[in-house]
Amino acid sequence: MREALRSFRVATWLGWQIESNWTDPFLFFVYSIVKPVASVMILVIMYWVITRTDTTSPYFAYMYLGNAAYIYVGSILVGVSWAVIDDREHYQTLKYIYVSPIKFYFYLLGRGMARFLTGSLSVAITMGFGLLVLGLPIGLGAIHWPYLGASMVLGLASLAVLGLLLGAATLQMARHYWSVGESVAGALYLMCGAIFPLDVLPAWLRPLGFALPLTYWLESLRRAVLGAEASRAISPSLAGLSDGQLLLILLVATLISSVMSIYFFRWSEHRAREKGLIDMTTHY
Amino acid sequence: MLGRERAEVNRGVELFLRTIVARAYPRVIGANREKSWIFFETLLPLLSVAAYVFFYRAIQAPEEYIGLVVVGGAMTAYWLNVLWSMSAQLYWDKDAGNLTLYIAAPSSLMAILLGMAVGGLFMTTTRAVAIIAAGWLLFGVQFSLQYWALLLLTFIITMAALYGLGMVFASVFLLWGREAWHISNLLQEPIYLASGFYFPVKALGFWVASAASLIPLTLGLDAMRQLLFPTGPTLGFLDVQLEIGILVGLALIFVTASKFALDYMEGRAKQEGRLTERRR
């Protein structure tokens, strides 16, 4: 366990260095602001162009919150799979890391943690922009903080294990590995109702959305921040679930994903050693 | 012109054209040899476009907005191609050790970049067509081809200006190391926003839209939307003919600027020893 914690801590530090030391702190700060704000402003303008209403409507807050929280999906999910690509193909250090006395599973978790930290900066900036500039109808006093905390812990845990699943899959790939994380994040953006309720999806696509832990994470997050009634009114297909049931589903889904990720990771690691994929460089 | 001089010019032109073909070759042939890119480069990006379509549906937008998103989504492929497969390409080539070979070869860096553009256009157009086709089949978007000749002309001029800009970027990327990756990453969403990839650019107001028009895709996209949809002109920023005129000007400026920028940056990179540097 000590070795696992050490691997996690060192990988987090390494990941943070890779993410932030490519430039001076000022440019890094600008980079951290511009990208998430531009992302969210695309949706804000799409919303304004059509509705011509102010930003105090509950639907606007529903969309905005989902999009802000989704930054974590992009960061963590893509971050873990990129760690494999970066270390193996770009820096060509994966083989050295692998033979060092670390727990590889926790090493990749640590790299995901670094992306969580940079993602948190983006989420904070996006939410701050929403509250201060766009006047989001969110009262800090009205937020159900314990429920929000539980939702965040479970949601981020599910993201971490999904990231490890993706990282393990990336380890097996020789082609298109660089687009896998972004593509999966793009698919989940559609399926889990990040910016619209699942009811808008065609009936044949909805079951996929209901099978994803992220759907329940985003819904519980919205209930904690916007209030259960407002969220239920916008998303009727999840309205039948109580707040407790949402968290329970999220917990079970996270546990199932964790078990799957551990077994899949072990299989992938074993196969990578057999096939010589740990030190593979494809220049693809 | 003396016969010998003419022969030298002809040889130079031939070498320039052969370099374009040689650099385009691996991209086109590679795409044909390994078909898995069709899934990764067409189906998966479509899902992101679909998310914006459903967002518009959720807020009960008129159907022409779905068409705007589909065309915008298709054109993102070209912007990404310029950023990652052209501008940042010299950084990857430096990393892989190819850049020094390009410089040492008796050919022009501009021809190599043009080859990248030609090769990249093949794959990128496939992706764009797939998104357009999916928009038509899955979301029932109706395109009007009444002005197809003007549409084609607009597309070609937009691409000339866009890839000219890509060559200017490439010259700057020649000097960069690890930051090249981050700068390319940074130039995605802000450009999607400023150029109105998912909404009519005139929604940004005259001055912001005018400033954004320095990016060729802003006016190219706006003109193509006006030509593709019957209600397009009501959502357009400027008159189509004026937009085409500005795009011609941008194409000339960027292609000319890229020649000077590449020569200058190549010289500077040689002086500063950046061509062989592999700062990771």
Side-chain angles (χ1 to χ4, degrees), chain A residues 7-262:
Chain A
S7 306
F8 179 78
R9 183 173 51 79
V10 172
T12 303
W13 176 84
L14 173 68
W16 172 258
Q17 293 297 317
I18 292 172
E19 292 304 318
S20 63
N21 76 1
W22 57 274
T23 186
D24 58 82
F26 175 73
L27 190 59
F28 177 69
F29 187 64
V30 171
Y31 177 80
S32 306
I33 290 177
V34 170
K35 211 171 147 61
V37 169
S39 256
V40 81
M41 280 307 290
I42 292 172
L43 288 169
V44 169
I45 292 175
M46 285 168 78
Y47 182 84
W48 270 340
V49 165
I50 301 303
T51 62
R52 303 274 172 199
T53 55
D54 62 16
T55 50
T56 54
S57 92
Y59 186 81
F60 181 79
Y62 179 95
M63 173 278 288
Y64 196 94
L65 192 61
N67 193 63
Y70 203 82
I71 291 172
Y72 281 126
V73 181
S75 301
I76 300 173
L77 217 58
V78 179
V80 176
S81 68
W82 260 107
V84 173
I85 300 165
D86 256 353
D87 287 359
R88 188 175 67 181
E89 296 279 340
H90 187 54
Y91 300 116
Q92 297 177 11
T93 51
L94 192 65
K95 56 192 167 196
Y96 306 116
I97 290 167
Y98 195 79
V99 298
S100 66
I102 60 155
K103 298 276 185 198
F104 192 49
Y105 187 88
F106 288 91
Y107 168 79
L108 286 181
L109 263 181
R111 294 292 294 273
M113 182 67 185
R115 293 295 288 253
F116 164 77
L117 294 174
T118 51
S120 295
L121 191 63
S122 299
V123 171
I125 289 164
T126 306
M127 287 310 295
F129 182 78
L131 289 169
L132 301 173
V133 180
L134 302 174
L136 280 179
I138 295 172
L140 295 181
I143 295 173
H144 193 321
W145 291 103
Y147 190 72
L148 177 65
S151 164
M152 284 300 286
V153 168
L154 289 174
L156 292 174
S158 74
L159 272 180
V161 292
L162 288 176
L164 283 163
L165 267 173
L166 206 58
T170 309
L171 202 56
Q172 301 299 319
M173 296 176 78
R175 302 274 185 275
H176 307 292
Y177 41 74
W178 46 269
S179 66
V180 164
E182 300 270 352
S183 301
V184 171
L188 293 176
Y189 192 61
L190 170 69
M191 308 290 185
C192 73
I195 53 171
F196 51 79
L198 284 186
D199 309 73
V200 179
L201 284 177
W204 58 272
L205 260 181
R206 276 179 227 157
L208 275 173
F210 290 124
L212 295 168
L214 301 183
T215 302
Y216 304 96
W217 172 48
L218 292 177
E219 180 63 16
S220 57
L221 198 69
R222 284 164 174 146
R223 286 195 189 180
V225 177
L226 305 175
E229 288 315 308
S231 193
R232 277 194 170 114
I234 294 167
S235 179
S237 57
L238 293 169
L241 295 171
S242 69
D243 295 355
Q245 281 171 326
L246 273 179
L247 278 192
L248 187 65
I249 294 172
L250 183 55
L251 173 68
V252 172
T254 306
L255 289 174
I256 292 170
S257 309
S258 305
V259 173
M260 278 170 61
S261 115
I262 290 168

Side-chain angles (χ1 to χ4, degrees), chain B residues 45-244:
Chain B
L46 185 66
L47 299 173
S48 302
V49 176
Y52 286 119
V53 169
F54 287 117
F55 177 66
Y56 266 140
R57 292 231 161 117
I59 54 176
Q60 287 150 9
E63 276 302 299
E64 59 257 39
Y65 280 85
I66 309 298
L68 293 191
V69 165
V70 169
V71 176
M75 296 307 284
T76 56
Y78 293 100
W79 181 245
L80 291 175
N81 186 247
V82 162
L83 277 184
W84 293 104
S85 300
M86 199 165 180
S87 309
Q89 184 66 40
L90 292 184
Y91 165 67
W92 308 130
D93 281 331
K94 191 196 291 187
D95 207 39
N98 289 337
L99 186 63
T100 40
L101 301 178
Y102 292 160
I103 304 287
S107 184
S108 133
L109 206 51
M110 202 164 176
I112 288 168
L113 286 166
L114 274 172
M116 282 179 196
V118 172
L121 269 170
F122 167 74
M123 218 173 189
T124 311
T125 301
T126 312
R127 173 173 165 168
V129 168
I131 293 175
I132 295 280
W136 175 52
L137 293 169
L138 298 177
F139 305 121
V141 175
Q142 296 296 316
F143 301 101
S144 160
L145 293 177
Q146 191 184 351
Y147 305 107
W148 67 270
L150 198 53
L151 183 70
L152 187 64
L153 178 73
T154 310
F155 177 78
I156 291 169
I157 297 169
T158 305
M159 288 303 116
L162 181 67
Y163 282 87
L165 177 66
M167 284 196 274
V168 175
F169 278 167
S171 68
V172 182
F173 276 58
L174 206 55
L175 290 182
W176 280 339
R178 199 150 60 96
E179 58 270 47
W181 193 91
H182 293 280
I183 299 296
S184 281
N185 209 14
L186 179 64
L187 288 174
Q188 286 181 202
E189 285 83 359
I191 299 300
Y192 295 165
L193 170 69
S195 295
F197 274 71
Y198 299 109
F199 52 81
V201 73
K202 78 170 184 182
L204 295 172
F206 180 79
W207 294 110
V208 177
S210 298
S213 298
L214 279 174
I215 300 149
L217 272 176
T218 308
L219 293 182
L221 193 54
D222 192 69
M224 282 189 271
R225 281 167 172 165
Q226 291 189 56
L227 295 167
L228 272 172
F229 302 108
T231 53
T234 58
L235 303 170
F237 171 49
L238 299 173
D239 178 68
V240 171
Q241 286 173 338
L242 178 60
E243 290 184 332
I244 292 174

